[in-house]
Amino acid sequence: RETPQKVMRKRIIVGVAAALIVLGVALLNVNFLVARNKDSLIGRSEQALGRKIYVERIEVTFWPVGARLVNFALADDPAFSGEDFVRAKALRIEIRLLPLFIGQFHPKRMDLESPVITVVRDAQGRYNFASRPRDKKGERPRDRNNESRDEQHGSPLLWIPSLNVSDGTLRFRDLRYGGELTATQINLTTTGFEAAAAFEFQLEAAVNAATPNLRLKSWVGSIPEKRDFRDVPLAGELNATALDLGKVNKALPQFRKAIPKALRFDGIYTIKELKFKGTLNNLSLKGGVTGTDACFRFG
């Protein structure tokens, strides 16, 4: 006669096996649905984003549960250019498992492989990442169900829980001032982001350089509605080698204007383990900074 412990062990084994079978069937079903409805899925995404999307193929991944979009491209707003806003070797999307059982897709993580991102600021000061293309009548597409909510709270073009970028390239052009900035070899990792929650990120990039010359680790506090970003709490560490902030200021005049007058940096800097804490309006710094043809003002 079996003991209660053995009976319980068998029940647990049977339960786990049944759960794995159900999971396997669910994943196979997702794979079938994705393969069969690729154009429909892309069409829904285009409608939600208001932009054309190109994907060579969609591969469902079983662990982690998600999908890999091969040769992914997101078109720019035609008002800015006829090129791609983002194109990448692949976009990986990891999906939360439990909502999948009830037919809901909740992204947990997104990974961009070798993306090229082109950011444009037009003569009116508008950015292409914040725009939505116009329809044939010249009006911006809107979701009537979310119209009032978006007007009250605002909604970003794309919300993601967490993001990982590997070997990325960012190209920025300011059509108003003629500034241009290029950052390559970008490796970026962030935790989940929400307006009312703190998040962390790590960044490595080559800014107007052949090799990575900027490394940043930071924690940023919550960003409530209608709050000046210069009063948001933050902390972290910055390292840089031969970083030409003069070129950065020239390429990003709006960024320079956004920084409080108490902070002014120009010239070429090498920064070693510069720790910062506070807010942009009240920031404490501790570390080593050396400059060539450089000057800065703090306080």
Side-chain angles (χ1 to χ4, degrees), residues 41-74:
L41 291 171
I42 293 176
R44 290 181 182 180
S45 300
E46 289 178 338
Q47 186 177 13
L49 297 174
R51 300 185 182 221
K52 297 295 292 183
I53 295 174
Y54 171 80
V55 178
E56 182 177 319
R57 67 178 183 275
I58 302 177
E59 302 171 346
V60 174
T61 58
F62 298 110
W63 195 261
V65 179
R68 184 172 184 264
L69 284 62
V70 180
N71 289 331
F72 168 83
L74 176 64

Side-chain angles (χ1 to χ4, degrees), residues 117-119 169-174 178-184 186 206-209 213-214 243-253 255:
I117 304 171
T118 303
V119 176
T169 297
L170 173 65
R171 297 169 179 166
F172 174 80
R173 288 184 294 152
D174 191 319
E180 292 191 12
L181 180 71
T182 300
T184 61
I186 297 173
V207 182
N208 287 333
N213 62 341
L214 174 66
L243 179 63
D244 194 332
L245 289 179
K247 289 184 178 179
V248 173
N249 289 333
K250 184 178 180 180
L252 305 175
F255 173 74

Side-chain angles (χ1 to χ4, degrees), residues 21 70 129 185 202 228 242 273:
I21 292 173
V70 180
F129 61 79
Q185 304 173 61
Q202 294 188 32
D228 190 334
E273 297 180 354

